[in-house]
Amino acid sequence: MSLAVFALVAWLVMIGFVFVPKWLILTEICFLYFIIGVLSVTVFTVLDVNLQWVPTTRDVEKSLALDVCRFIIIPFLLMMAAGFLNSPLRARWRWILGAAMLVPLMADDWLIRAFGLIIFTSRWNIVYSLLMYLTFIVVLAFITRWFTRLERGAPKPS
């Protein structure tokens, strides 16, 4: 059941990603996906394996659902947020739309807990999840801004 629900959510997130305007080119989107993969897998591995704060399930279906969440849902939502923060919109709207991506991220976090994909050793705290995702979004916005400016290259000597 959990795999079917997360597959549906992943499908809806990908449809949303298709309809959101892209201000990044394909190379930047691919680079951003790999950076998100490295950052999220590192953070989840540190929390899950090393510190054992958030032990994961041993059930195959739930493990596959968690993989769908970690490799499709969260990266696409974070890419949309980073895309909003690097858009040509006014600064206020960029931050509003980027912060609006916290809502589906927190809903996804709630679904992960509701289906028992991860079990917190202590009580789950929404503030920690908000801070983690907000940090992800801000760091990705800066990395994206840095990467898009690399394309311009160094100033040409006159």
Side-chain angles (χ1 to χ4, degrees):
M1 174 76 175
S2 61
L3 183 58
V5 169
F6 279 97
L8 175 69
V9 171
W11 181 66
L12 293 173
V13 166
M14 287 189 285
I15 288 174
F17 183 77
V18 167
F19 286 124
V20 168
K22 312 284 180 305
W23 291 283
L24 304 172
I25 60 175
L26 182 61
T27 308
E28 295 165 351
I29 291 173
C30 291
F31 173 76
L32 196 58
Y33 180 80
F34 289 120
I35 291 296
I36 291 169
V38 167
L39 288 175
S40 64
V41 167
T42 303
V43 167
F44 287 126
T45 301
V46 166
L47 293 178
D48 294 347
V49 178
N50 295 346
L51 298 176
Q52 296 178 353
W53 286 351
V54 188
T56 57
T57 182
R58 302 273 186 232
D59 184 23
V60 174
E61 178 190 5
K62 290 182 178 181
S63 294
L64 288 173
L66 190 61
D67 287 342
V68 166
C69 180
R70 286 185 180 172
F71 295 115
I72 297 173
I73 297 171
I74 293 173
F76 276 84
L77 289 172
L78 289 174
M79 278 192 295
M80 282 192 275
F84 284 137
L85 290 177
N86 289 297
S87 68
L89 300 172
R90 292 184 178 192
R92 186 175 119 206
W93 283 108
R94 284 192 306 230
W95 284 102
I96 288 173
L97 291 172
M101 288 291 107
L102 287 172
V103 174
L105 283 167
M106 294 309 298
D108 182 58
D109 217 23
W110 179 81
L111 276 175
I112 290 172
R113 280 187 323 103
F115 279 101
L117 303 183
I118 58 175
I119 299 145
F120 287 84
T121 54
S122 60
R123 291 191 51 136
W124 176 71
N125 193 339
I126 192 168
V127 176
Y128 293 150
S129 293
L130 277 171
L131 286 175
M132 180 183 72
Y133 287 127
L134 188 63
T135 304
F136 268 134
I137 289 172
V138 171
V139 166
L140 288 172
F142 285 124
I143 289 172
T144 307
R145 188 163 293 143
W146 168 77
F147 188 72
T148 55
R149 290 186 180 160
L150 279 178
E151 190 174 285
R152 295 182 208 156
K156 299 190 191 264
S158 51

